[in-house]
Amino acid sequence: MFDPSRGVHVIAEAGTNHAGRLDLGRTLVDIAARARAHSVKFQLIYPEGLYLPELPTEHGYAPNEVFERRAAMMLPDEDWERLAEYAGEKGIPFASSVFDERGIAMMDRLDAAYLKFASCDLNNSRLLKTGADTGRPIILSTGMATLGEIERAVSDVLATGNANIAVLHCVSMYPAPLAEMNLGMIATLRSAFGLPVGLSDHTEDSRAAVMAVALGARLFEKHCTYSRQADGFDHAYAMEPEMLQEYVADVQAAARAMEPARTKLRGGEQQLKPRARRGVHAARDIAEGETITQEHLTVVRPEGPLVPNDVELIIGRRASRPVRRFEALSHGAVEEAPAEAAV
């Protein structure tokens, strides 16, 4: 799937721009096919697998508006089947970003061309391994990441025996200014991992992509829409049909540019990171002294003191104080692990 010798691959990122309507989903497939994109990708978001339904406040809980909006924009499972079939009829490979085990199972059943993991899940080893265990090609987006986190994610996938991986350089800003794109990191990623490297492109035109091609990127992801004036999360910075056609053509005709850079994580991403990353939250009230189990925890947005990969470190330990439902856990909320016995 990700063979650089076969040339560039442009993903038309339809995301959730279908707004929960099958007809709009099919329209997005048509846009991708007419632009001669090499695949069309959606985002299969079950809100309970990514967000807290309510947010703790001083006086109780408040509804999470993002959770409610995502729930209102969902496609029924049976419509995902129809959408995959339609893409097949149009001759364009179909895939999706996945955010939980349910989404992975759905895309596996629909024979998705690949599984994409968004930047928010780069440090979510359990989810990455579950996806990799399907044997499907894996795309890892690296927004908000350090090189160490990318290395861990790549290692997690490779440990399953799945070596069909592509790594996308990504700057998690929407839209992303060209000056913030840090495109030299593409060369660093190629050198560090020896894997196909690409660009998850949130800029407003094709200039970043043209530069990225010159630096060795071969896989490109670009949001598309039927109208930038439509209501939704991603329309405003997505490409309308003619823009997407030009983008695909520009990527395929790109020339070299840009110098390598050293750093990956930059200022604009730091501001987005707290609400885009997952944290470890209490799924229910936890009493002081209660032993923490998997059932006590939920790993969803927003970010907290503990990251998803910390879950294994606190399961089996006791709560050092009462913890409220939906509270973000910290190391201070659990007792210290017992010291290992001296040999």
Side-chain angles (χ1 to χ4, degrees):
M1 177 66 189
F2 307 131
D3 182 359
S5 67
R6 297 173 62 183
V8 295
H9 181 116
V10 179
I11 299 168
E13 165 64 298
T16 57
N17 286 346
H18 52 71
R21 291 173 47 183
L22 178 59
D23 62 324
L24 292 181
R26 287 172 170 161
T27 294
L28 291 163
V29 170
D30 290 338
I31 290 170
R34 284 197 296 268
R36 298 189 178 181
H38 301 88
S39 63
V40 60
K41 184 182 75 65
F42 291 84
Q43 296 176 11
L44 177 50
I45 298 177
Y46 295 106
E48 64 275 9
L50 184 59
Y51 302 96
L52 292 173
E54 299 174 283
L55 300 174
T57 68
E58 291 183 5
H59 306 292
Y61 296 90
N64 185 342
E65 293 183 5
V66 175
F67 181 97
E68 294 179 347
R69 288 188 69 194
R70 288 294 190 190
M73 296 168 60
M74 289 178 61
L75 275 175
D77 284 357
E78 56 270 22
D79 281 352
W80 283 109
E81 297 179 11
R82 297 185 180 104
L83 197 55
E85 290 174 359
Y86 187 75
E89 293 170 5
K90 293 296 179 177
I92 185 167
F94 169 88
S96 178
S97 294
V98 288
F99 298 87
D100 58 11
E101 289 80 3
R102 184 179 173 189
I104 291 171
M106 169 68 79
M107 285 299 119
D108 191 37
R109 183 166 65 81
L110 295 181
D111 196 25
Y114 48 83
L115 299 179
K116 161 73 186 299
F117 289 94
S119 298
C120 67
D121 282 317
L122 193 76
N123 63 345
N124 194 349
S125 294
R126 284 187 171 190
L127 195 65
L128 298 184
K129 290 177 180 178
T130 300
D133 279 336
T134 67
R136 298 194 176 279
I138 300 296
I139 300 177
L140 300 174
S141 208
T142 63
M144 305 170 292
T146 64
L147 280 173
E149 288 174 323
I150 301 168
E151 182 177 15
R152 169 70 184 271
V154 169
S155 296
D156 286 336
V157 175
L158 290 174
T160 69
N162 188 341
N164 200 348
I165 311 169
V167 177
L168 298 188
H169 172 57
C170 173
V171 172
S172 295
M173 300 170 68
Y174 306 90
L178 180 62
E180 295 280 347
M181 283 302 291
N182 195 20
L183 287 171
M185 184 54 59
I186 291 171
T188 302
L189 293 175
R190 292 180 64 213
S191 175
F193 302 109
L195 295 169
V197 171
L199 178 67
S200 179
D201 188 356
H202 304 140
T203 62
E204 297 269 44
D205 52 41
S206 62
R207 289 177 295 167
V210 168
M211 297 174 189
V213 170
L215 292 167
R218 290 296 177 266
L219 183 65
F220 297 83
E221 178 185 69
K222 194 68 172 175
H223 284 262
C224 63
T225 181
Y226 46 87
S227 172
R228 300 186 86 175
Q229 281 70 52
D231 183 38
F233 289 96
D234 300 332
H235 292 286
Y237 61 90
M239 287 196 152
E240 293 178 337
E242 289 187 6
M243 299 168 67
L244 183 64
Q245 292 175 27
E246 292 174 3
Y247 184 90
V248 174
D250 286 347
V251 166
Q252 292 176 325
R256 297 190 313 174
M258 297 293 292
E259 293 285 335
R262 296 181 179 179
T263 58
K264 180 66 177 68
L265 187 61
R266 289 189 172 183
E269 289 190 283
Q270 292 281 17
Q271 298 177 21
L272 182 80
K273 186 170 177 255
R275 63 184 175 86
R277 276 287 177 89
R278 298 185 191 231
V280 181
H281 300 262
R284 61 179 179 82
D285 291 341
I286 306 174
E288 182 176 352
E290 190 172 1
T291 299
I292 297 173
T293 67
Q294 181 65 54
E295 288 67 34
H296 289 98
L297 307 176
T298 184
V299 180
V300 292
R301 289 174 174 173
E303 185 184 52
L306 299 183
V307 303
N309 288 335
D310 290 328
V311 168
E312 299 298 338
L313 302 179
I314 62 173
I315 288 178
R317 292 160 65 178
R318 296 181 183 275
S320 59
R321 59 170 176 80
V323 180
R324 296 175 65 202
R325 180 169 63 99
F326 297 159
E327 179 181 343
L329 274 76
S330 66
H331 283 293
V334 295
E335 295 178 351
E336 293 289 334
E340 294 183 2
V343 178

